[in-house]
Amino acid sequence: MLTQEQLAKLQAIIDERHEALELEIHRDAARSRDEPYSLLAGSVPDSGDSASADLISDLDNAELSRDLQEFRALEGAQDRLARGGYGSCVDCGGDIAFERLLAQPAALRCFECQKGYEKTHAQTPKPTL
Ligand SMILES: [Zn+2]
């Protein structure tokens, strides 16, 4: 079980990360609005430039969707902290090590279950919700 002190520390990490991600997501969303495709591609309509503009925009989207995924995971962690159940593995119900939570405060599984989960789910695409 986590001590009150450990929980307080994790809560602070989660809140800080959550806030930073929120800013980052807003900034990224604003940037994709402010820089339409034509600006990214530059003034010279050459096929090489458009290809790299596509690539940049794909990379931005990938980063944004990673941020959103982490953001939602952190909200889940805040919810579990508020309602109880934070720090328990969703698969085996055991305690998730404090060190693991420090590194990944939104972790849902203990190290052993996560290993098993990644093994069975490695080939299937991640659900979007
Ligand atoms: Zn477990």
Side-chain angles (χ1 to χ4, degrees), residues 2 10 13-14 86-88 96-109:
L2 297 165
L10 290 164
I13 293 172
I14 288 169
Y86 180 80
S88 297
I96 305 175
F98 179 59
E99 290 71 26
R100 174 166 165 71
L101 289 168
L102 276 181
Q104 292 183 50
L108 286 170
R109 291 173 184 80

PDB file of all heavy atoms in Angstrom, residues 2 10 13-14 86-88 96-109:
ATOM      1  N   LEU A   2       0.347   2.278  -0.621  1.00  0.00           N
ATOM      2  CA  LEU A   2       1.083   3.543  -0.655  1.00  0.00           C
ATOM      3  C   LEU A   2       0.779   4.338   0.616  1.00  0.00           C
ATOM      4  O   LEU A   2      -0.345   4.345   1.104  1.00  0.00           O
ATOM      5  CB  LEU A   2       0.652   4.363  -1.875  1.00  0.00           C
ATOM      6  CG  LEU A   2       0.962   3.737  -3.244  1.00  0.00           C
ATOM      7  CD1 LEU A   2       0.187   4.438  -4.339  1.00  0.00           C
ATOM      8  CD2 LEU A   2       2.449   3.803  -3.535  1.00  0.00           C
ATOM      9  N   LEU A  10       2.850  11.623  -5.554  1.00  0.00           N
ATOM     10  CA  LEU A  10       2.376  11.197  -6.875  1.00  0.00           C
ATOM     11  C   LEU A  10       1.295  12.138  -7.396  1.00  0.00           C
ATOM     12  O   LEU A  10       1.268  12.479  -8.577  1.00  0.00           O
ATOM     13  CB  LEU A  10       1.845   9.759  -6.806  1.00  0.00           C
ATOM     14  CG  LEU A  10       2.941   8.703  -6.602  1.00  0.00           C
ATOM     15  CD1 LEU A  10       2.355   7.390  -6.154  1.00  0.00           C
ATOM     16  CD2 LEU A  10       3.736   8.512  -7.888  1.00  0.00           C
ATOM     17  N   ILE A  13       2.955  15.111  -8.857  1.00  0.00           N
ATOM     18  CA  ILE A  13       3.567  14.808 -10.155  1.00  0.00           C
ATOM     19  C   ILE A  13       2.487  14.755 -11.239  1.00  0.00           C
ATOM     20  O   ILE A  13       2.637  15.322 -12.323  1.00  0.00           O
ATOM     21  CB  ILE A  13       4.324  13.460 -10.104  1.00  0.00           C
ATOM     22  CG1 ILE A  13       5.536  13.569  -9.177  1.00  0.00           C
ATOM     23  CG2 ILE A  13       4.749  13.016 -11.496  1.00  0.00           C
ATOM     24  CD1 ILE A  13       6.219  12.237  -8.916  1.00  0.00           C
ATOM     25  N   ILE A  14       1.380  14.082 -10.920  1.00  0.00           N
ATOM     26  CA  ILE A  14       0.291  13.921 -11.890  1.00  0.00           C
ATOM     27  C   ILE A  14      -0.311  15.279 -12.239  1.00  0.00           C
ATOM     28  O   ILE A  14      -0.505  15.607 -13.415  1.00  0.00           O
ATOM     29  CB  ILE A  14      -0.790  12.970 -11.326  1.00  0.00           C
ATOM     30  CG1 ILE A  14      -0.260  11.541 -11.310  1.00  0.00           C
ATOM     31  CG2 ILE A  14      -2.069  13.056 -12.154  1.00  0.00           C
ATOM     32  CD1 ILE A  14      -1.124  10.568 -10.541  1.00  0.00           C
ATOM     33  N   TYR A  86      -6.278   3.959  -6.672  1.00  0.00           N
ATOM     34  CA  TYR A  86      -5.020   4.311  -7.330  1.00  0.00           C
ATOM     35  C   TYR A  86      -3.886   3.474  -6.745  1.00  0.00           C
ATOM     36  O   TYR A  86      -3.817   3.271  -5.540  1.00  0.00           O
ATOM     37  CB  TYR A  86      -4.717   5.803  -7.126  1.00  0.00           C
ATOM     38  CG  TYR A  86      -3.416   6.214  -7.783  1.00  0.00           C
ATOM     39  CD1 TYR A  86      -3.380   6.468  -9.141  1.00  0.00           C
ATOM     40  CD2 TYR A  86      -2.245   6.307  -7.051  1.00  0.00           C
ATOM     41  CE1 TYR A  86      -2.193   6.814  -9.761  1.00  0.00           C
ATOM     42  CE2 TYR A  86      -1.052   6.658  -7.662  1.00  0.00           C
ATOM     43  CZ  TYR A  86      -1.037   6.912  -9.018  1.00  0.00           C
ATOM     44  OH  TYR A  86       0.147   7.249  -9.634  1.00  0.00           O
ATOM     45  N   GLY A  87      -3.020   2.996  -7.633  1.00  0.00           N
ATOM     46  CA  GLY A  87      -1.865   2.227  -7.162  1.00  0.00           C
ATOM     47  C   GLY A  87      -2.128   0.736  -7.082  1.00  0.00           C
ATOM     48  O   GLY A  87      -1.239  -0.030  -6.744  1.00  0.00           O
ATOM     49  N   SER A  88      -3.382   0.313  -7.407  1.00  0.00           N
ATOM     50  CA  SER A  88      -3.673  -1.116  -7.468  1.00  0.00           C
ATOM     51  C   SER A  88      -3.711  -1.545  -8.926  1.00  0.00           C
ATOM     52  O   SER A  88      -4.278  -0.855  -9.763  1.00  0.00           O
ATOM     53  CB  SER A  88      -5.031  -1.427  -6.829  1.00  0.00           C
ATOM     54  OG  SER A  88      -5.016  -1.094  -5.471  1.00  0.00           O
ATOM     55  N   ILE A  96       0.963  -1.658  -7.148  1.00  0.00           N
ATOM     56  CA  ILE A  96       1.951  -1.229  -8.135  1.00  0.00           C
ATOM     57  C   ILE A  96       3.077  -0.561  -7.348  1.00  0.00           C
ATOM     58  O   ILE A  96       2.808   0.279  -6.479  1.00  0.00           O
ATOM     59  CB  ILE A  96       1.341  -0.244  -9.154  1.00  0.00           C
ATOM     60  CG1 ILE A  96       0.105  -0.881  -9.814  1.00  0.00           C
ATOM     61  CG2 ILE A  96       2.369   0.162 -10.195  1.00  0.00           C
ATOM     62  CD1 ILE A  96      -0.650   0.050 -10.760  1.00  0.00           C
ATOM     63  N   ALA A  97       4.304  -0.934  -7.641  1.00  0.00           N
ATOM     64  CA  ALA A  97       5.441  -0.415  -6.873  1.00  0.00           C
ATOM     65  C   ALA A  97       5.516   1.110  -6.972  1.00  0.00           C
ATOM     66  O   ALA A  97       5.284   1.685  -8.039  1.00  0.00           O
ATOM     67  CB  ALA A  97       6.736  -1.035  -7.374  1.00  0.00           C
ATOM     68  N   PHE A  98       5.845   1.742  -5.848  1.00  0.00           N
ATOM     69  CA  PHE A  98       5.958   3.199  -5.800  1.00  0.00           C
ATOM     70  C   PHE A  98       6.954   3.706  -6.835  1.00  0.00           C
ATOM     71  O   PHE A  98       6.710   4.703  -7.521  1.00  0.00           O
ATOM     72  CB  PHE A  98       6.380   3.615  -4.379  1.00  0.00           C
ATOM     73  CG  PHE A  98       6.558   5.100  -4.210  1.00  0.00           C
ATOM     74  CD1 PHE A  98       5.509   5.977  -4.463  1.00  0.00           C
ATOM     75  CD2 PHE A  98       7.776   5.622  -3.791  1.00  0.00           C
ATOM     76  CE1 PHE A  98       5.667   7.353  -4.294  1.00  0.00           C
ATOM     77  CE2 PHE A  98       7.947   6.995  -3.619  1.00  0.00           C
ATOM     78  CZ  PHE A  98       6.893   7.860  -3.878  1.00  0.00           C
ATOM     79  N   GLU A  99       8.062   2.990  -7.002  1.00  0.00           N
ATOM     80  CA  GLU A  99       9.088   3.406  -7.970  1.00  0.00           C
ATOM     81  C   GLU A  99       8.531   3.408  -9.389  1.00  0.00           C
ATOM     82  O   GLU A  99       8.868   4.253 -10.206  1.00  0.00           O
ATOM     83  CB  GLU A  99      10.307   2.461  -7.909  1.00  0.00           C
ATOM     84  CG  GLU A  99      11.141   2.577  -6.645  1.00  0.00           C
ATOM     85  CD  GLU A  99      10.417   2.017  -5.422  1.00  0.00           C
ATOM     86  OE1 GLU A  99       9.546   1.124  -5.587  1.00  0.00           O
ATOM     87  OE2 GLU A  99      10.701   2.486  -4.300  1.00  0.00           O
ATOM     88  N   ARG A 100       7.680   2.421  -9.664  1.00  0.00           N
ATOM     89  CA  ARG A 100       7.068   2.344 -10.998  1.00  0.00           C
ATOM     90  C   ARG A 100       6.110   3.518 -11.199  1.00  0.00           C
ATOM     91  O   ARG A 100       6.064   4.120 -12.264  1.00  0.00           O
ATOM     92  CB  ARG A 100       6.318   1.007 -11.129  1.00  0.00           C
ATOM     93  CG  ARG A 100       5.525   0.869 -12.408  1.00  0.00           C
ATOM     94  CD  ARG A 100       5.104  -0.580 -12.628  1.00  0.00           C
ATOM     95  NE  ARG A 100       4.070  -0.697 -13.634  1.00  0.00           N
ATOM     96  CZ  ARG A 100       4.264  -0.505 -14.943  1.00  0.00           C
ATOM     97  NH1 ARG A 100       5.465  -0.211 -15.369  1.00  0.00           N
ATOM     98  NH2 ARG A 100       3.288  -0.622 -15.794  1.00  0.00           N
ATOM     99  N   LEU A 101       5.364   3.859 -10.169  1.00  0.00           N
ATOM    100  CA  LEU A 101       4.415   4.968 -10.270  1.00  0.00           C
ATOM    101  C   LEU A 101       5.136   6.302 -10.392  1.00  0.00           C
ATOM    102  O   LEU A 101       4.656   7.223 -11.062  1.00  0.00           O
ATOM    103  CB  LEU A 101       3.485   4.983  -9.050  1.00  0.00           C
ATOM    104  CG  LEU A 101       2.469   3.839  -9.012  1.00  0.00           C
ATOM    105  CD1 LEU A 101       1.803   3.762  -7.653  1.00  0.00           C
ATOM    106  CD2 LEU A 101       1.428   3.988 -10.108  1.00  0.00           C
ATOM    107  N   LEU A 102       6.301   6.400  -9.776  1.00  0.00           N
ATOM    108  CA  LEU A 102       7.082   7.634  -9.910  1.00  0.00           C
ATOM    109  C   LEU A 102       7.478   7.846 -11.361  1.00  0.00           C
ATOM    110  O   LEU A 102       7.440   8.959 -11.882  1.00  0.00           O
ATOM    111  CB  LEU A 102       8.349   7.559  -9.050  1.00  0.00           C
ATOM    112  CG  LEU A 102       8.234   7.933  -7.579  1.00  0.00           C
ATOM    113  CD1 LEU A 102       9.599   7.808  -6.922  1.00  0.00           C
ATOM    114  CD2 LEU A 102       7.694   9.336  -7.392  1.00  0.00           C
ATOM    115  N   ALA A 103       7.865   6.743 -12.017  1.00  0.00           N
ATOM    116  CA  ALA A 103       8.286   6.835 -13.412  1.00  0.00           C
ATOM    117  C   ALA A 103       7.075   6.960 -14.333  1.00  0.00           C
ATOM    118  O   ALA A 103       7.113   7.685 -15.335  1.00  0.00           O
ATOM    119  CB  ALA A 103       9.120   5.618 -13.791  1.00  0.00           C
ATOM    120  N   GLN A 104       5.986   6.245 -14.004  1.00  0.00           N
ATOM    121  CA  GLN A 104       4.780   6.270 -14.834  1.00  0.00           C
ATOM    122  C   GLN A 104       3.564   6.437 -13.939  1.00  0.00           C
ATOM    123  O   GLN A 104       2.882   5.464 -13.613  1.00  0.00           O
ATOM    124  CB  GLN A 104       4.655   4.964 -15.616  1.00  0.00           C
ATOM    125  CG  GLN A 104       5.723   4.798 -16.676  1.00  0.00           C
ATOM    126  CD  GLN A 104       5.496   3.523 -17.470  1.00  0.00           C
ATOM    127  OE1 GLN A 104       4.405   3.265 -17.953  1.00  0.00           O
ATOM    128  NE2 GLN A 104       6.528   2.714 -17.583  1.00  0.00           N
ATOM    129  N   PRO A 105       3.284   7.676 -13.534  1.00  0.00           N
ATOM    130  CA  PRO A 105       2.218   7.897 -12.547  1.00  0.00           C
ATOM    131  C   PRO A 105       0.832   7.450 -13.007  1.00  0.00           C
ATOM    132  O   PRO A 105      -0.047   7.258 -12.191  1.00  0.00           O
ATOM    133  CB  PRO A 105       2.266   9.405 -12.291  1.00  0.00           C
ATOM    134  CG  PRO A 105       3.101   9.991 -13.355  1.00  0.00           C
ATOM    135  CD  PRO A 105       3.983   8.910 -13.886  1.00  0.00           C
ATOM    136  N   ALA A 106       0.645   7.280 -14.330  1.00  0.00           N
ATOM    137  CA  ALA A 106      -0.673   6.857 -14.810  1.00  0.00           C
ATOM    138  C   ALA A 106      -0.739   5.346 -15.032  1.00  0.00           C
ATOM    139  O   ALA A 106      -1.718   4.843 -15.593  1.00  0.00           O
ATOM    140  CB  ALA A 106      -1.027   7.598 -16.095  1.00  0.00           C
ATOM    141  N   ALA A 107       0.275   4.612 -14.580  1.00  0.00           N
ATOM    142  CA  ALA A 107       0.315   3.162 -14.815  1.00  0.00           C
ATOM    143  C   ALA A 107      -0.911   2.467 -14.226  1.00  0.00           C
ATOM    144  O   ALA A 107      -1.348   2.779 -13.121  1.00  0.00           O
ATOM    145  CB  ALA A 107       1.586   2.574 -14.203  1.00  0.00           C
ATOM    146  N   LEU A 108      -1.486   1.550 -15.006  1.00  0.00           N
ATOM    147  CA  LEU A 108      -2.676   0.816 -14.557  1.00  0.00           C
ATOM    148  C   LEU A 108      -2.327  -0.560 -14.017  1.00  0.00           C
ATOM    149  O   LEU A 108      -3.129  -1.179 -13.335  1.00  0.00           O
ATOM    150  CB  LEU A 108      -3.638   0.615 -15.734  1.00  0.00           C
ATOM    151  CG  LEU A 108      -4.439   1.818 -16.216  1.00  0.00           C
ATOM    152  CD1 LEU A 108      -5.129   1.484 -17.526  1.00  0.00           C
ATOM    153  CD2 LEU A 108      -5.456   2.207 -15.159  1.00  0.00           C
ATOM    154  N   ARG A 109      -1.139  -1.033 -14.383  1.00  0.00           N
ATOM    155  CA  ARG A 109      -0.794  -2.408 -14.051  1.00  0.00           C
ATOM    156  C   ARG A 109       0.546  -2.485 -13.335  1.00  0.00           C
ATOM    157  O   ARG A 109       1.408  -1.631 -13.541  1.00  0.00           O
ATOM    158  CB  ARG A 109      -0.702  -3.256 -15.331  1.00  0.00           C
ATOM    159  CG  ARG A 109      -2.010  -3.474 -15.996  1.00  0.00           C
ATOM    160  CD  ARG A 109      -1.854  -4.175 -17.332  1.00  0.00           C
ATOM    161  NE  ARG A 109      -3.164  -4.261 -17.975  1.00  0.00           N
ATOM    162  CZ  ARG A 109      -3.720  -3.254 -18.637  1.00  0.00           C
ATOM    163  NH1 ARG A 109      -3.068  -2.138 -18.806  1.00  0.00           N
ATOM    164  NH2 ARG A 109      -4.916  -3.387 -19.148  1.00  0.00           N
TER     165      ARG A 109
END
